């Protein structure tokens, strides 16, 4: 069982940056691949980024590719999402997720554990 708590969301102007954090509880954190997803009002949940358990590989969704970087600190059971050049269309609730597998996945159905989400609002 893994519990996830996101933080770092807030209100930012277009062009600004935010760094989201996700604190995980439980053991063997490095055996879980991690992902970030987002959901805007009236839209489906969208893949943003994923990272392998070993931190060797990352993969990003098209919507934020080139503007976002995901990392993790296995010693602290944490993952991070650095977001730059934010746009109003990036406004959404951002979720951290963990899957029972070390490998990358872009599919939300592959993730067993989810945080409560953190709101990111980008003003124009």
């Amino acid at each position: 069982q893994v519990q996830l708590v996101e933080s770092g969301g807030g209100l930012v102007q277009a062009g600004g940056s935010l760094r989201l954090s996700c604190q995980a509880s439980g053991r063997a954190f490095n055996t879980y691949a991690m992902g970030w997803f987002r959901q805007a009002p009236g839209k489906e949940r969208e893949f943003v980024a994923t990272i392998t358990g070993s931190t060797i590989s990352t993969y990003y969704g098209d919507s934020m590719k080139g503007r976002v970087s995901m990392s993790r600190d296995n010693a602290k059971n944490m993952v991070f999402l650095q977001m730059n050049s934010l746009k109003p269309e990036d406004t959404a609730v951002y979720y951290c997720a963990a899957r029972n597998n070390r490998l990358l996945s872009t599919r939300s159905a592959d993730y067993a554990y989810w945080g409560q989400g953190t709101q990111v609002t980008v003003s124009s």
Side-chain angles (χ1 to χ4, degrees):
Q1 186 77 10
V2 177
Q3 293 184 325
L4 304 171
V5 179
E6 302 96 334
S7 61
L11 175 64
V12 63
Q13 288 189 331
S17 298
L18 280 175
R19 187 190 192 213
L20 306 183
S21 299
C22 175
Q23 179 72 62
S25 66
R27 295 179 290 181
F29 179 64
N30 64 346
T31 66
Y32 296 89
M34 301 296 294
W36 285 98
F37 293 78
R38 69 183 185 182
Q39 188 165 19
K43 295 187 176 181
E44 294 186 353
R45 190 164 294 187
E46 178 186 27
F47 165 73
V48 176
T50 181
I51 190 168
T52 53
S54 62
T55 78
I56 290 176
S57 297
T58 54
Y59 185 79
Y60 302 101
D62 290 340
S63 61
M64 298 196 77
K65 191 174 291 182
R67 302 186 292 122
V68 67
S69 177
M70 184 174 184
S71 60
R72 66 190 293 164
D73 184 338
N74 285 341
K76 296 181 179 179
N77 281 16
M78 295 190 74
V79 293
F80 307 96
L81 187 70
Q82 177 67 45
M83 303 186 295
N84 303 317
S85 303
L86 285 164
K87 305 174 182 179
E89 51 265 42
D90 294 321
T91 295
V93 177
Y94 284 71
Y95 297 91
C96 172
R99 65 179 304 223
N100 291 312
N101 192 299
R102 299 176 187 266
L103 303 179
L104 305 175
S105 176
T106 64
R107 298 174 63 241
S108 60
D110 287 340
Y111 292 82
Y113 308 104
W114 293 82
Q116 82 290 348
T118 185
Q119 176 70 47
V120 171
T121 302
V122 184
S123 63
S124 58

